[in-house]
Amino acid sequence: MNWYKMKRLVQLLFLGVFLFIFMVMSVSPVSATKQKYNRVYQKKTTYVQKKDPYFQEQDLPNAGAYLQVNRKKPELVVRYSAKDTVYNTQKQNITCQTKESPSCTYFSVSFKVLTDCDTSKITLEVSETRPMTIEISSLYKKGTCFFDQVLKHELTHENVYRQLLSLYLQKTAQNLILEYEKGQEKSKGCKDIQNQLISITDDMQKQYAAEAQKENARLDDAQGNHLYDMDACLNEDNR
C-alpha cells in the first residue's frame, strides 16, 4: 500500500469516528430528558387551558352583584314601640291555653325585615299582632289579696314575654348583619341577600314564640294550671 492510500484511509477512519460520536450525542440522556420535559410541559399547559373556563365560572364573582349591593358596612335599625298593657277584668269565665283559669296573659309579635342594598341599610320592623293583654276573672275584686296574687302571677308572665323579646331583637339584629356581610363577601345579588334575611327573620320569630311559650310554662304546673300564692290571703277578709 502506498503512502497516498494510507493517508486517505486514515482520513476516512477519522471521519467515521466523528460521525459516530455525533450520532451518539444526538440521542444522549440529556437530550432525551429535555424532549420528555417538553412533552410534559405541553400536556400540562393543555390541561390548564381546559380547566380555565370551569374556574372562571365557579370562582369569579358575578359582576352584576357589585352593581346591586353597596360594599360599605351595613347599618341596622330596629323599629319597635311597645304598647301599654291592656287589662280586662270584665269576664267571669276565662279560658287560657284550652283550660279554665282565673287569669291569662296574651302576647304575640311579628318580625319583618326591609333591605336597601343601595345604602346597605337593614330595617327590622316588629309589630305587636296581639298587644300585651292580661285578663283576670271578675270573680276577683280589685283591692283584694286574691286579686293582687293573681295579678302578680300574670305580671310575671308579662315580664317573661318582654325580656325574651328584647333578647331576640338583639340576636336577630346580629344575625341579619352577619348574613348581609356574608352576601357582600360572596358577591351575591341583592335579591338573594334579601331572601336570606327574610328567612332568618322568619326563623327568629318562630324561635321567639316557641321559647316564650316554653318559659311561661315554667310558671305553671305540669298540667298547665296557673300557680298562685293564695295561702298568703287565708288570714284576710276578701269578701
Side-chain angles (χ1 to χ4, degrees):
M1 182 179 296
N2 57 30
W3 170 249
Y4 175 77
K5 290 182 178 181
M6 178 68 73
K7 182 179 179 181
R8 189 66 177 173
L9 182 59
V10 171
Q11 288 176 346
L12 291 173
L13 181 61
F14 272 108
L15 181 59
V17 171
F18 177 77
L19 291 174
F20 176 79
I21 294 174
F22 178 81
M23 291 176 64
V24 170
M25 291 184 62
S26 64
V27 293
S28 64
V30 175
S31 178
T33 302
K34 184 176 181 181
Q35 292 177 1
K36 183 178 179 182
Y37 173 78
N38 287 337
R39 288 195 296 270
V40 171
Y41 178 76
Q42 291 172 356
K43 289 182 179 179
K44 185 175 181 181
T45 302
T46 304
Y47 173 72
V48 172
Q49 288 175 348
K50 288 181 179 179
K51 286 192 66 175
D52 276 347
Y54 171 79
F55 282 111
Q56 288 175 358
E57 181 181 353
Q58 296 295 324
D59 293 345
L60 292 180
N62 182 355
Y66 283 100
L67 301 176
Q68 297 175 18
V69 182
N70 194 304
R71 315 310 295 176
K72 74 176 184 179
K73 188 176 180 64
E75 172 193 1
L76 189 139
V77 176
V78 178
R79 292 180 180 171
Y80 172 61
S81 179
K83 297 180 180 180
D84 293 337
T85 302
V86 177
Y87 296 93
N88 184 356
T89 59
Q90 305 302 316
K91 295 193 301 183
Q92 194 174 78
N93 299 318
I94 296 174
T95 301
C96 191
Q97 300 293 336
T98 70
K99 291 180 175 292
E100 290 189 3
S101 176
S103 61
C104 195
T105 299
Y106 310 95
F107 183 67
S108 61
V109 293
S110 175
F111 291 1
K112 180 181 179 181
V113 63
L114 303 174
T115 309
D116 186 346
C117 298
D118 292 334
T119 59
S120 290
K121 184 175 180 179
I122 306 169
T123 303
L124 176 61
E125 294 184 348
V126 182
S127 57
E128 296 184 359
T129 53
R130 184 164 192 177
M132 192 73 68
T133 304
I134 295 178
E135 286 190 341
I136 299 178
S137 172
S138 59
L139 295 175
Y140 298 92
K141 303 301 181 182
K142 293 181 181 179
T144 65
C145 179
F146 289 134
F147 180 92
D148 291 344
Q149 291 303 112
V150 172
L151 177 60
K152 178 181 178 181
H153 178 89
E154 296 309 325
L155 290 177
T156 306
H157 280 294
E158 176 185 358
N159 188 55
V160 169
Y161 277 120
R162 294 204 185 278
Q163 286 194 351
L164 202 57
L165 178 59
S166 178
L167 176 63
Y168 265 83
L169 291 183
Q170 296 178 25
K171 290 172 62 176
T172 304
Q174 292 172 357
N175 291 345
L176 291 175
I177 290 177
L178 290 175
E179 188 64 28
Y180 188 92
E181 291 176 340
K182 188 188 299 182
Q184 286 179 317
E185 292 172 2
K186 293 184 177 180
S187 300
K188 292 184 177 180
C190 185
K191 191 64 177 178
D192 192 6
I193 292 178
Q194 288 174 334
N195 289 338
Q196 289 297 110
L197 266 55
I198 290 173
S199 178
I200 287 177
T201 305
D202 291 344
D203 287 343
M204 295 303 289
Q205 177 183 324
K206 293 176 183 176
Q207 289 182 33
Y208 167 71
E211 189 164 350
Q213 183 177 2
K214 179 181 177 181
E215 290 301 316
N216 277 305
R218 296 178 186 273
L219 304 177
D220 305 326
D221 63 19
Q223 288 72 41
N225 299 310
H226 284 22
L227 298 177
Y228 307 99
D229 185 16
M230 295 302 192
D231 291 345
C233 304
L234 295 179
N235 297 326
E236 296 189 22
D237 183 9
N238 293 284
R239 292 176 296 175

